[in-house]
Amino acid sequence: MVAWHSSMQHEFIHGHPTPSRKINRLLGFVPLSLWLPFESYRMSHLVHHCDDALTDPLDDPETYYWTAEQWAAIGPIGRAIVHIHTTLAGRLVIGPAWNIGRYLLSEAKLLAKGNRVHKRIWAWHALGCAAVLFWVVGVCHMNIAFYLFCIVYPGTALLLLRSFAEHRAEEGVFERTAIVENSWFFGPLFLFNNLHAAHHERPLMPWYELPGWYKINRDRLLAANGGLVYDGYGEVVRRFLFTPHDVNVHPFDKP
C-alpha cells in the first residue's frame, strides 16, 4: 500500500486524477511513508523531468551518479556503501536507509539555515504525519516500530526496485531512459511507470493510457532510446542483483 500510494503521488504530480492542482496536491498530501513530504517530492520530481539534465549529478535531483569531486569527498567508507548500493541487492537492503538518511540530512541543513519554503513544507508534513500515526497507532493499535520497519522500509525498497534501472548516462537525451516490459504485477503497482521512456515523452498522460500508447509507439521509442529495454523485473534481477548497474562517477564528468 505504501508503494502503491507513492505511485499515486507520482500521478498527482503529473496532473491526475483531476484537472485541479489544488485537489491533486491535497490528495497527495497524506504521508503514508512518513519520511517524504509530498510538496518536496513534487518540486524535485518536476526538476527531474528537465530531460536535458537527466542523470546529471548537479542538475538531476533523482540521479544516482556522482561528480568526481563528490566521489572524492565521501571517503572510502562512503564509496564502499555507494558501491554496494549500485547493485540491486544493495539498493533493496540498504537503499531505503541510505536514501532516507541522506534526504533527511539535506533537509535538516536547509531548515538550520532558516529556509522558509522548507519550514512551511515540514510544518504541514508534521501535521500529516501526526494524522497517519494517530490512525496507525491510536486506531489500528499497530506497533510504530512494526509500521516503520515492516511496512515503510520494504515499501520504500519496492519503489527503489522501480527506479533502479530507469536511467543511465548516455550522450543522447532519449537514450538515458529505460523501459521494463512484461510486468504484469509490478506494472500496476508502479502505475505503469515501468514504461519509463513512454512516461518521459508523455509526462501528462494518465497511467491507464500508457500501456496502449506504448504498444502503438514501441518501435519508435526503442529506436530512440537505443534499445534500452528489459524483459520484466526478472531480467533486472538476473543482471544486476550482485552486479553494479553502472559506474558511480558520471562517465562524462571531468575531474
Side-chain angles (χ1 to χ4, degrees):
M1 184 60 70
V2 167
W4 207 358
H5 181 258
S6 296
S7 296
M8 291 170 62
Q9 287 182 312
H10 174 262
E11 289 299 298
F12 299 150
I13 290 172
H14 286 285
H16 316 300
T18 80
S20 169
R21 288 185 179 181
K22 289 184 178 179
I23 294 176
N24 292 339
R25 288 164 79 171
L26 181 63
L27 291 171
F29 169 72
V30 181
L32 292 187
S33 68
L34 296 178
W35 65 274
L36 181 61
F38 175 72
E39 191 62 18
S40 178
Y41 174 39
R42 187 188 70 84
M43 292 189 300
S44 68
H45 186 69
L46 291 177
V47 173
H48 168 73
H49 270 273
C50 297
D51 283 5
D52 287 345
L54 275 175
T55 75
D56 189 321
L58 297 179
D59 294 321
D60 181 0
E62 296 185 13
T63 189
Y64 284 97
Y65 291 99
W66 301 69
T67 66
E69 183 179 358
Q70 291 169 339
W71 185 247
I74 62 175
I77 296 177
R79 289 193 289 270
I81 294 173
V82 171
H83 186 71
I84 295 171
H85 188 254
T86 310
T87 69
L88 181 59
R91 189 71 57 89
L92 297 180
V93 175
I94 69 171
W98 175 257
N99 283 273
I100 294 171
R102 291 184 67 226
Y103 170 75
L104 293 180
L105 179 61
S106 67
E107 288 295 298
K109 290 178 180 179
L110 289 173
L111 294 176
K113 292 178 181 179
N115 187 296
R116 292 184 178 181
V117 172
H118 285 259
K119 280 186 175 182
R120 184 170 64 252
I121 289 173
W122 276 95
W124 282 105
H125 182 66
L127 292 175
C129 288
V132 170
L133 291 176
F134 172 78
W135 178 263
V136 168
V137 179
V139 177
C140 300
H141 306 293
M142 186 183 296
N143 183 285
I144 189 170
F146 179 87
Y147 184 73
L148 291 174
F149 295 106
C150 297
I151 296 179
V152 172
Y153 199 94
T156 302
L158 277 174
L159 294 173
L160 294 178
L161 169 64
R162 189 211 75 204
S163 64
F164 179 78
E166 281 183 347
H167 298 288
R168 73 178 182 189
E170 294 288 352
E171 288 282 4
V173 172
F174 296 110
E175 295 177 357
R176 300 173 192 171
T177 306
I179 297 165
V180 181
E181 297 181 322
N182 304 320
S183 301
W184 63 268
F185 174 77
F186 289 110
L189 179 67
F190 299 148
L191 297 183
F192 300 113
N193 202 26
N194 53 297
L195 305 174
H196 210 57
H199 168 64
H200 268 264
E201 183 165 319
R202 290 289 185 272
L204 300 181
M205 181 173 287
W207 65 272
Y208 49 84
E209 293 181 3
L210 273 174
W213 186 87
Y214 171 72
K215 186 177 181 179
I216 295 171
N217 293 275
R218 180 181 186 274
D219 291 344
R220 180 181 60 78
L221 288 170
L222 293 188
N225 84 339
L228 184 54
V229 59
Y230 301 98
D231 184 13
Y233 285 95
E235 181 182 351
V236 176
V237 171
R238 289 192 300 272
R239 291 180 60 177
F240 303 116
L241 186 62
F242 300 113
T243 302
H245 171 251
D246 203 350
V247 295
N248 295 301
V249 176
H250 197 285
F252 306 131
D253 183 57
K254 305 298 182 182

